[in-house]
Every structure is written in structure tokens, then in C-alpha cells.
Amino acid sequence: MERNKNLSKVKVLLSVSLVFSTLSAFAQSKVESSAKSRSEVNYKQLHSTSLGNQEGLFADGIKLKMDLSVLDEAEATRETFDVNEIPCDDIYGGVWQNAHVDIYGALKNAPDSFIVNLTNFSMPREGKMTSNFGRRGSRRYHYGIDLKLQVGDTVYAAFDGKVRVQQFERRGYGYYTVVRHVNGLETVYGHLSKFLVKENDFVKSGQPIALGGNTGRSTGPHLHFETRFLGKPIDPNFLIDFNNNVCHRDEYLVTNSSYRKTSQSSRVLARNGNYKEPTSTNNNKYVSGSVKYHRIKSGDTLGAIARTHGLSVSRLCSLNNITPKTTLRVGKSLRVS
């Protein structure tokens, strides 16, 4: 009799324990799943205006998981960079100031050509182009392109880099920010309403950096976007296909021809569809392709690179405006002819 009672008690305890364990495991897996999906969905902010053509985005869990795996692969292949360093400090001659867009007018020994890696690109804002790079009347010139947005829409970093400038210019950019990128470019974002990052912060491509606005010399909400090298403006259409929100190529060769102005009005918006590689009338050897480059790999040294291409170390340094003590960064390119 007593034995049967004890067995009954044991059965009841086992049943209760089993139920409790099942509920605990369910609750734990639910929390973990929620946390995981939240971090995935918040990888990049989405707006209602951009979801119209993405039916089933959240319904197709398998597709979303596959897309995220591609992002993980891209993250793993990012060029390594010390976030405490200043991007392309050697190219920019150690100049790092937070006052203005162009502070490089007196910079000496600037490279006469430079390869920019564009593979890390993200659109700063997906919207219709409302004004192009070009002339505005007889006295003014528009050094960037304008993309339509609403006040408060998110603006994203175009490439990995570090925030150099955050300022306000009442008769010009309004609230604006400048980012120096790891690939050597600087990008300008104007007429903002709010900053989401601070000066000297390191940002990744596609990271939210500001909210769009209508500040400064602006007739309506839009993002003013510029691409510059050593302070000199380059027509963003040379680098980016704004019809398809991608770069034309994985690399862009900056030469003196890159800085040429156009006689066209900034109201001409179809120029991007007729994109042509910048050319020069004086047979620029850098555009013609006679200049050769060596992409730095792990284990490369200046001496080894020089020997491979039949150069002396001093000649190699002279071609690239560097010194024998310059640190070589994997993925960067050195001119070897």
C-alpha cells in the first residue's frame, strides 16, 4: 500500500517536471528567436515607401535568411581597417580638420592618379534625381547631385570611412557632413535635419549617418550628395549609375580628367544614362591604361614589389608619394610604372 503511494507521488513529480521543462524550453527558444530576428531585420532601416516593390519580404523566411547570409559574406570580406586611424592619411598628407569641405588647397605631392575601390558602395539615399552635376545659370555651379527625399528620411554612408566634418552653412549646405572613406574618396551630404553620428566616428557602408531635411540654401527637401578626391569635386555620375543604384565598375581611376566641369545645365537629368568614361584631349597616359598598378597582398614588402616590377624602392616610393617606412595595407594599389 505504502509502496503504491510512493510510486504515485514519483509519477506526479515526473509529470510536473516534464511539463515545466517543456514550457521553459519553449519560452527560451521563443526569446532567442525574437532576438535573432530583431537584429537581422534592423540591419538596415526600411521605410514604408521602399516596401511597395518588396511583397513577401517578411513572409519568405528562407529568402530573407539567404539574403542575410550574403550580407554576412560581404562583411567577412571587408577590407580590414583600424577604426582609430585616419583613412588614407598618407594620401591626404596628414591633414584632418573639422572646419570645411575643401581644406586641401595647399597640399603638396598629391598623386597624379589614384585607383578608388568601389566594391563597398551603398546608396546614400534611394530616390529620384532632381538636380544633376552642372551649371546653374551663368555664375553658379552645382558640384553634386540632388536626390529626392522627405524630411526625416534616413541618409546612409556610401562607403566605409570616418566622419571628418559636421557643420552648418546657412547660405549653402545647411546642416552637412563630410566622410573620409577608406578607399580615398570623401563624400558630402547636405541639407540635413539631424546628425546620427559624431565627428571622428567610424561608419560602415550602408550605416545610417543622418536624417534628410531642407536646411540651408534649399527650395525643398532633398539630399545634396558630392564625391570628392583631395577636396576636388568629381561628377558622381562618373562613379555611380543612379538609374540602377550601383557603381559602373568595381574600380575608378582618378586622373586630372576626373575634375573636368560640364557645360550642361544641372537641370539635364538624363546624363547618367549616357555615361562615358572621362577622357582628355591631350592623350593622358593614365586614362589610356599605360600606367600599371600592383594590388598589395598579405606578406608584400616594398622591396619585393620593387624587384617584381624592375624598380628601385626609391623609385617606387616616388611614384606613390610615400616613404620606405609607409605601412602597406592589403587591398590597396601601388603605381609601378
Side-chain angles (χ1 to χ4, degrees), residues 22-33:
T22 302
L23 290 175
S24 299
F26 175 79
Q28 184 177 1
S29 63
K30 190 75 172 179
V31 171
E32 290 177 351
S33 175

Side-chain angles (χ1 to χ4, degrees), residues 45-69:
Q45 183 175 345
L46 296 174
H47 298 280
S48 58
T49 55
S50 64
L51 293 177
N53 297 325
Q54 300 185 46
E55 296 179 2
L57 175 65
F58 299 105
D60 190 351
I62 296 177
K63 180 179 183 302
L64 179 60
K65 185 175 181 180
M66 290 175 63
D67 291 343
L68 289 168
S69 67

Side-chain angles (χ1 to χ4, degrees), residues 168-297:
F168 176 75
E169 190 178 272
R170 185 168 65 87
R171 295 185 178 182
Y173 293 113
Y175 287 105
Y176 72 96
T177 189
V178 180
V179 180
R180 168 93 61 83
H181 298 291
V182 175
N183 64 9
L185 288 179
E186 287 194 332
T187 51
V188 183
Y189 310 77
H191 308 306
L192 308 172
S193 61
K194 183 179 181 180
F195 300 127
L196 300 181
V197 291
K198 304 184 295 297
E199 285 182 349
N200 302 313
D201 278 357
F202 181 80
V203 296
K204 292 184 177 181
S205 176
Q207 177 179 336
I209 58 173
L211 300 182
N214 187 30
T215 58
R217 189 169 185 169
S218 172
T219 58
H222 69 276
L223 171 67
H224 175 83
F225 176 71
E226 297 180 8
T227 51
R228 292 178 176 250
F229 181 69
L230 293 170
K232 300 177 182 179
I234 298 174
D235 186 343
N237 292 288
F238 291 164
L239 288 74
I240 304 165
D241 177 357
F242 288 98
N243 292 327
N244 298 299
N245 299 325
V246 295
C247 290
H248 295 292
R249 299 178 179 177
D250 289 342
E251 293 182 340
Y252 176 77
L253 178 63
V254 178
T255 69
N256 288 332
S257 298
S258 301
Y259 311 124
R260 83 181 192 275
K261 293 184 178 180
T262 175
S263 59
Q264 285 187 303
S265 167
S266 61
R267 295 181 180 180
V268 179
L269 304 181
R271 190 185 324 140
N272 183 66
N274 301 323
Y275 162 80
K276 293 181 180 179
E277 188 74 27
T279 58
S280 175
T281 56
N282 59 359
N283 296 322
N284 190 318
K285 63 182 180 180
Y286 304 112
V287 176
S288 66
S290 59
V291 173
K292 296 182 180 179
Y293 290 84
H294 174 92
R295 183 170 292 278
I296 300 171
K297 304 182 293 296

Side-chain angles (χ1 to χ4, degrees), residues 314-332:
S314 60
R315 177 56 179 162
L316 183 62
C317 291
S318 176
L319 287 171
N320 294 277
N321 298 296
I322 59 177
T323 70
K325 295 182 179 180
T326 299
T327 300
L328 300 183
R329 293 175 180 166
V330 175
K332 293 292 184 182

